[in-house]
Amino acid sequence: MNSDTGPRYRQVSIGRPAVEVSERQGVLHMRSLEPLAPLPERLLDRLVHWAQVRGQQTFLAVRDENGEWQHTSYAGMLDAVRAIAQRLLGFGLSAERPLAILSGNGLQHLQMALGALYAGIPYCPVSPAYSLLSQDHAKLRHVCDLLQPGLLFVDKAAPYQRAIDAVMAADVPVITVHGEVAGRANIDFASLLAEPGGAEAEAAFAATGADTIAKFLFTSGSTKLPKAVVTTQRMLCANQQMLLQTFPVFGEEPPVLVDWLPWNHTFGGSHNLGIVLYNGGTFYLDDGKPTPQGMAETLRNLREISPTAYLTVPKGWEELVNALEQDAALRESFFARIKLFFFAAAGLSQSIWDRLDRIAEQHCGERIRMMAGLGMTEASPSCTFTTGPLSMAGYVGLPAPGCEVRLVPVDGKLEGRFRGPHIMPGYWRAQQQTAEVFDEEGFYCSGDALKLADPTDPQLGLMFDGRIAEDFKLSSGVFVSVGPLRNRAVLEGSPYVQDVVVAAPDRECLGLLVFPRLHECRQLAGLAAAATDAEVLASAPVRGWFADWLQRLNREATGNATRLEWIALMSQAPSIDRGEITDKGSINQRAVLQWRAEQVEALYRGRDESILRAESRP
């Protein structure tokens, strides 16, 4: 490779729009000079279009109980959607009594969701964790109390029986694919497909428009109880058009995705699934997950199906890189037609990024572009993309076409605020919360701190600078920027650190509660399988590694706001019921400190012998 020209990337068209930048009274305003193209009125206009243009092409492929791929074409999906829409109109559903989908990703889940869209009935895909992992079902109860659903859908009745009994009124019927939920009216999903859609379904679809509510998506609940984001047809279409103009490659060849991300999140259900639907591609449903156990299914799928783009969270990239380095057959399939990589939800470790580049160069003779951006449920989700000239951790790039960005001084930082057709009208049944997140000019106040990558050249784009709500002051009055500190700790803690919580407001120094990846730590410890988690974390190899990691983190410390005086390894996982962890796996910093206040107090007083302390200052 010619070092004078730098690394060579696989040719792929990426939009690089110029940005207009202005400043007034300390507020920076940025927008793309490329206008957003005209939008469809409804997302399902694209389903109708592709059913007419390439009706027999596979839209969705899922594995059956025998492990064989079962394909649903665009024409077949549209027929099912129209039939379901016709039946849903008979349940008296509306925004006041929407459809709630409690199950994870699946063919019938998607058919129900699109059937509701076609009928103009809002639906809500609820995190399965609220039903299956929670013990008190507090978040599910909150969701159902807020939405008042008039109809439920579950794929398998038995696992959801306890949750439904706990929170749902007895007169709410349930549509099931397998089994029945005892004690209430049950509708067999297959019966929804028995008759084709008719004039009522077509009239309902024709009556929908850009302002029609498509679905309610709940925020992760990382700071408070989840809020229901009103997601309109305009928001979904605008986000997909932003993506298409930023990544024209999606329109040049039908995208093929192999994807596991849950549809109750905006990244999986609006962003990724929408890429396929909007651009007439094929979606292979991956029942895997980026865990040591679930990754086997993902790798099985990627050995059989060659995606044109791969989008996942950083943990997924970490597991995939480990496998690609060892599996020639996987490399052959994975790189066969890949054009684009994408990550979201957290920062990607530079070491993982470098290893992926190295694998691609060795196998393909060139790198594959890794893209990212800044998004949120309230923006359906995209606001910025890393299409600028930089490539580094924390870089979130430039405004997408149609998105205006303001950087407003708040508590010593610059808050990112956004306006455009992709931004929500508000939170459902939460007038006060809605008013609190929009400024006087109609910009959504994200709570994300941003800064210019280069203050002298705004055209280079933006860097993520943490969450304003997580920041605090030490007892000395020194301000602590939690986001960058936490992000660096997690990135440099690979592969043994799952997440961290920075402690604590009004204390004299900083500490770190570390939630380790116990599977990897167990391998590092080399102990017998019968060893407890506490024994693993107390082992010399594990404590030695974390002690070295603490010293590495402190080498770049510039003062009390960035220096860690101690770390503590948490053997008790964060709890979804206590709000310590959201359903997508992110840590609620405040809830952890609140629920573990006695433990934090003991750590600061030196009463916990498991603590690892920083070396003395030179």
Side-chain angles (χ1 to χ4, degrees):
M1 183 166 296
N2 188 337
S3 60
D4 294 332
T5 60
R8 185 162 63 91
Y9 286 88
R10 182 163 291 184
Q11 291 299 309
V12 58
S13 54
I14 295 175
R16 298 185 185 278
V19 175
E20 178 186 82
V21 181
S22 61
E23 184 175 356
R24 186 177 63 192
Q25 298 179 333
V27 175
L28 196 69
H29 188 279
M30 305 177 71
R31 70 178 183 91
S32 170
L33 290 175
E34 179 183 349
L36 195 64
L39 305 175
E41 280 286 296
R42 301 153 291 225
L43 184 63
L44 290 194
D45 286 343
R46 304 302 288 168
L47 176 62
V48 174
H49 170 76
W50 297 121
Q52 295 169 344
V53 171
R54 49 177 84 139
Q56 297 312 305
Q57 179 190 310
T58 297
F59 171 31
L60 179 72
V62 300
R63 290 192 188 272
D64 62 18
E65 61 271 13
N66 298 317
E68 300 297 323
W69 289 109
Q70 298 299 310
H71 298 259
T72 301
S73 68
Y74 276 91
M77 181 64 78
L78 182 57
D79 287 343
V81 164
R82 285 171 167 162
I84 291 169
Q86 183 77 23
R87 286 294 306 276
L88 289 180
L89 291 171
F91 286 95
L93 304 177
S94 65
E96 304 297 327
R97 290 185 61 77
L99 165 69
I101 298 177
L102 303 189
S103 298
N105 301 1
L107 170 61
Q108 293 84 7
H109 174 144
L110 184 58
Q111 290 173 327
M112 286 295 300
L114 299 187
L117 287 183
Y118 205 86
I121 296 168
Y123 75 97
C124 178
V126 182
S127 169
Y130 293 175
S131 297
L132 304 181
L133 299 183
S134 174
Q135 296 304 306
D136 62 10
H137 301 119
K139 286 190 175 181
L140 181 63
R141 183 174 290 104
H142 165 71
V143 167
C144 293
D145 286 348
L146 181 63
L147 293 184
Q148 295 294 306
L151 181 67
L152 300 180
F153 168 83
V154 296
D155 50 6
K156 297 177 181 178
Y160 291 90
Q161 178 84 51
R162 189 172 73 91
I164 293 172
D165 288 345
V167 306
M168 195 60 56
D171 61 347
V172 177
V174 184
I175 295 173
T176 63
V177 182
H178 303 287
E180 291 190 350
V181 177
R184 65 186 60 236
N186 286 262
I187 300 101
D188 181 13
F189 174 81
S191 70
L192 303 184
L193 304 176
E195 299 291 336
E200 294 86 352
E202 297 311 303
F205 182 56
T208 62
D211 292 318
T212 300
I213 299 174
K215 58 182 173 179
F216 300 107
L217 280 179
F218 275 82
T219 60
S220 60
S222 56
T223 54
K224 299 178 181 178
L225 278 172
K227 299 181 287 289
V229 173
V230 176
T231 305
T232 65
Q233 295 283 351
R234 178 184 287 106
M235 291 167 63
L236 295 174
C237 293
N239 181 65
Q240 287 306 317
Q241 187 60 36
M242 288 175 172
L243 279 160
L244 178 57
Q245 289 179 227
T246 305
F247 306 107
V249 64
F250 291 144
E252 296 166 358
E253 176 185 359
V256 176
L257 300 190
V258 179
D259 194 71
W260 65 273
L261 284 152
W263 293 340
N264 58 282
H265 288 142
T266 187
F267 186 20
S270 296
H271 189 280
N272 291 4
L273 189 61
I275 286 171
V276 170
L277 175 56
Y278 202 77
N279 299 289
T282 298
F283 192 102
Y284 284 86
L285 182 58
D286 176 15
D287 282 332
K289 205 172 185 180
T291 63
Q293 298 77 25
M295 198 64 190
E297 179 63 18
T298 293
L299 298 179
R300 173 196 183 195
N301 294 331
L302 289 174
R303 289 188 192 99
E304 294 184 21
I305 308 300
S306 298
T308 61
Y310 196 69
L311 308 91
T312 190
V313 297
K315 177 59 176 173
W317 282 115
E318 182 179 325
E319 296 287 346
L320 181 57
V321 165
N322 292 337
L324 286 168
E325 288 176 333
Q326 304 172 32
D327 190 331
L330 176 63
R331 291 194 296 271
E332 197 66 37
S333 173
F334 183 71
F335 287 108
R337 54 181 177 179
I338 200 83
K339 300 291 197 311
L340 196 68
F341 294 155
F342 197 99
F343 73 90
L348 180 64
S349 165
Q350 190 62 49
S351 65
I352 297 298
W353 199 327
D354 292 343
R355 287 164 62 193
L356 184 61
D357 282 344
R358 188 161 55 249
I359 297 167
E361 287 174 339
Q362 291 172 351
H363 185 82
C364 310
E366 57 192 357
R367 297 181 181 182
I368 310 299
R369 293 191 182 276
M370 175 66 78
M371 310 303 296
L374 181 68
M376 56 217 71
T377 309
E378 290 87 346
S380 65
S382 304
C383 290
T384 70
F385 293 112
T386 55
T387 51
L390 303 181
S391 179
M392 65 179 77
Y395 183 58
V396 296
L398 298 164
C403 178
E404 297 178 81
V405 181
R406 297 180 84 199
L407 301 186
V408 180
V410 175
D411 294 337
K413 290 197 172 187
L414 295 174
E415 181 184 34
R417 300 184 178 181
F418 307 96
R419 185 169 68 182
H422 60 309
I423 299 295
M424 68 170 186
Y427 300 116
W428 184 244
R429 291 174 173 155
Q431 186 174 357
Q432 182 61 37
Q433 288 178 312
T434 297
E436 290 171 354
V437 297
F438 285 96
D439 68 14
E440 65 282 356
E441 295 188 38
F443 281 79
Y444 168 69
C445 306
S446 69
D448 288 330
L450 301 175
K451 61 183 179 181
L452 292 173
D454 182 348
T456 67
D457 188 1
Q459 295 290 333
L460 293 181
L462 298 166
M463 301 287 293
F464 183 71
D465 197 26
R467 288 282 299 170
I468 293 173
E470 293 177 345
D471 295 344
F472 58 81
K473 289 183 179 180
L474 295 173
S475 59
S476 62
V478 173
F479 193 77
V480 178
S481 184
V482 170
L485 177 59
R486 172 179 168 271
N487 194 45
R488 183 164 62 89
V490 172
L491 293 179
E492 295 190 15
S494 177
Y496 301 112
V497 175
Q498 180 70 42
D499 215 327
V500 302
V501 170
V502 181
D506 301 320
R507 299 284 185 170
E508 68 277 8
C509 64
L510 293 179
L512 211 60
L513 307 182
V514 182
F515 293 94
R517 288 189 172 134
L518 290 169
H519 174 80
E520 286 79 358
C521 288
R522 187 172 293 275
Q523 292 179 322
L524 175 63
L527 297 178
T532 66
D533 291 343
E535 290 171 337
V536 167
L537 297 181
S539 69
V542 170
R543 288 181 64 81
W545 188 92
F546 277 98
D548 291 342
W549 170 67
L550 173 57
Q551 309 318 322
R552 292 198 304 274
L553 291 175
N554 277 338
R555 286 189 194 122
E556 298 181 24
T558 56
N560 288 345
T562 54
R563 176 178 166 83
L564 299 164
E565 294 299 334
W566 55 262
I567 63 173
L569 306 184
M570 302 285 101
S571 59
Q572 181 186 8
S575 164
I576 192 171
D577 284 336
R578 297 192 309 205
E580 292 183 321
I581 188 170
T582 70
D583 60 294
K584 67 180 180 183
S586 59
I587 289 286
N588 181 335
Q589 301 268 322
R590 290 183 176 180
V592 169
L593 293 175
Q594 175 186 342
W595 283 100
R596 301 176 192 241
E598 290 186 8
Q599 186 176 11
V600 171
E601 180 68 23
L603 289 164
Y604 272 103
R605 292 181 177 273
R607 296 198 298 261
D608 190 326
E609 296 180 359
S610 68
I611 198 170
L612 286 168
R613 295 192 178 278
E615 294 176 349
S616 300
R617 296 174 189 264

